[in-house]
Amino acid sequence: MQLTKIAPLAGMALLSVSLVTACGSNDDKAASGGSSAPCPLVKAADPGNSKAPSGVPTADKAPKLAKKSSYTVAFSQNASNNPWRLAETASMKDEAAKQGVQLTVTDANNQQSKQIADIKGLIAQKPDALFIAPITEQMANVVKNAATAQIPVFLLDRDVDHNVAKPGQDYVSVLQSDFIQEGKRAAVQMAKATGGKAKIIELEGTTGASPAIDRKKGFDGAIKQCPGMKIVVSQDADFTRAKGQSVAETLLQSHPDATAIYAHNDEMALGAIAAAKAIGRQPGKDIQVVSIDGERDGLKAVAAGDLYATVECSPRFGPKGFQTMMDYAAGKSVPTLIINSDQLFTKDNAAANVDKAY
Ligand code: AHR
């Protein structure tokens, strides 16, 4: 959510620069969102990463972290139900081991109530610092509990509601990708995949999670430039492959004229690809799929032609997370928002990156 407030112009500027060349055709209006008007995204370059956000405040009012020779740190992970989460946890554990940090990890099993209980339990153990990957923005209240207990919190990969937990005060910093930009980049790929004419099923991530909110915002905002691209239905599939498959099964039946699927992560896209194949549709031919993450199975699906493209969202937060914590302990200025740089994976580079993926 925070990026919307701090850097709303960065990605849009990149998009509009490259939208000079219009294109499109008049054929097959019925297969489109109902319009034959040209879609400037079809020939647009990948917008790439957004500019570094400007005017980000530093964390001046959050609980302090004393400089020590060794730290006891806790990490509240929201789930371990997909390769992305497993890679993030592994990255945190690996870096903790390298830095000599004693790390306790909890897994909320994709349940908000369990994550709240987990974090309360961790606060009671009085760690020097607490990393939280919040399941939804509603974790803001329990983040405030940690601040009240004078424990500095670093949010990983998702944000919380700033009306409740103030950046730089109730938590030190949030480290994440620019989810709005990811949605814009996915929209450009979808336009290329479909020639700018598509009836799109959108599989959303967990309702209330900041990537689900912002990936929708970025994609929806970008395709407004293309009258032939319409989202015909959007539904929460909880970022999981199983739900991606079951929700896609239902939506492909209720919208047999859908020509594309935008999934907020690779796991849901892979479920949707299986659902489409099960009813005789041919991903990459009569239905185009675009998603976000860049996990190994996603890259394999791109290389196989089932997935048109996936926008990377790196889960490897360990080095940057602990570096930020050490900087904070050393009294350096730490921004309240730290944004990752991410790649784009298409048929041109997916196969070459499979071995490096998670
Ligand atoms: O917050 C990042 C998202 O959460 C990733 O895209 C997804 O795979 C994960 O569960």
Side-chain angles (χ1 to χ4, degrees):
M1 289 289 274
Q2 185 169 10
L3 281 180
T4 323
K5 295 163 205 153
I6 290 180
L9 301 176
M12 199 47 88
L14 279 168
L15 260 184
S16 52
V17 165
S18 49
L19 300 187
V20 183
T21 313
C23 65
S25 67
N26 292 323
D27 64 337
D28 203 7
K29 193 171 171 181
S32 75
S35 169
S36 58
C39 167
L41 302 186
V42 175
K43 289 195 176 169
D46 167 31
N49 289 292
S50 52
K51 283 183 197 153
S54 57
V56 179
T58 51
D60 297 331
K61 296 185 189 147
K64 301 294 174 221
L65 177 57
K67 197 165 164 45
K68 296 164 72 172
S69 55
S70 66
Y71 294 92
T72 303
V73 174
F75 173 36
S76 166
Q77 177 58 284
N78 61 52
S80 299
N81 58 359
N82 69 44
W84 197 100
R85 292 278 143 212
L86 295 174
E88 183 181 53
T89 301
S91 175
M92 291 295 288
K93 284 183 175 171
D94 288 353
E95 191 62 24
K98 276 186 204 155
Q99 306 260 356
V101 167
Q102 194 190 323
L103 184 68
T104 302
V105 181
T106 56
D107 171 8
N109 203 21
N110 209 21
Q111 294 162 27
Q112 297 208 65
S113 55
K114 174 143 181 6
Q115 187 162 38
I116 291 167
D118 285 350
I119 294 170
K120 287 184 174 172
L122 293 171
I123 291 170
Q125 292 173 28
K126 301 188 193 310
D128 293 316
L130 178 55
F131 286 94
I132 300 175
I135 185 164
T136 69
E137 294 201 341
Q138 289 173 30
M139 289 300 120
N141 276 311
V142 73
V143 165
K144 274 178 84 84
N145 291 352
T148 304
Q150 292 305 305
I151 299 168
V153 171
F154 299 83
L155 299 180
L156 288 190
D157 87 72
R158 296 184 186 176
D159 208 346
V160 295
D161 184 349
H162 294 181
N163 293 316
V164 178
K166 303 284 178 219
Q169 182 175 319
D170 296 314
Y171 64 89
V172 177
S173 186
V174 56
L175 294 82
Q176 60 164 87
S177 288
D178 181 342
F179 302 127
I180 293 181
Q181 189 71 4
E182 290 175 345
K184 287 175 185 165
R185 296 177 82 177
V188 170
Q189 294 308 307
M190 184 61 88
K192 291 180 186 304
T194 61
K197 296 189 290 284
K199 291 182 176 175
I200 305 164
I201 290 173
E202 180 179 25
L203 298 179
E204 296 181 18
T206 309
T207 300
S210 60
I213 295 165
D214 286 350
R215 286 172 183 169
K216 178 171 186 60
K217 202 176 283 176
F219 188 90
D220 290 7
I223 67 165
K224 280 194 183 128
Q225 300 166 74
C226 302
M229 291 177 75
K230 292 274 181 269
I231 292 178
V232 293
V233 62
S234 298
Q235 196 171 314
D236 180 352
D238 210 14
F239 282 127
T240 70
R241 195 181 296 207
K243 284 198 189 152
Q245 182 162 354
S246 61
V247 171
E249 259 163 31
T250 305
L251 298 184
L252 284 166
Q253 270 171 16
S254 56
H255 295 82
D257 56 343
T259 57
I261 298 173
Y262 166 45
H264 288 190
N265 78 347
D266 287 351
E267 283 293 293
M268 294 188 293
L270 293 164
I273 286 167
K277 286 183 175 176
I279 56 164
R281 302 286 299 265
Q282 293 179 288
K285 294 199 171 66
D286 62 24
I287 189 149
Q288 297 293 346
V289 187
V290 170
S291 64
I292 295 166
D293 267 0
E295 67 172 54
R296 180 168 292 152
D297 284 356
L299 297 191
K300 285 182 182 169
V302 175
D306 288 339
L307 183 60
Y308 184 80
T310 177
V311 180
E312 186 189 28
C313 176
S314 173
R316 294 178 171 122
F317 281 93
K320 203 181 276 186
F322 283 104
Q323 185 58 52
T324 304
M325 186 194 94
M326 298 299 180
D327 286 349
Y328 190 64
K332 295 185 186 165
S333 287
V334 169
T336 56
L337 173 66
I338 297 172
I339 296 293
N340 287 342
S341 285
D342 292 309
Q343 307 182 60
L344 172 69
F345 298 113
T346 66
K347 63 177 177 1
D348 295 336
N349 63 351
N353 281 285
V354 164
D355 289 346
K356 285 179 254 168
Y358 50 93

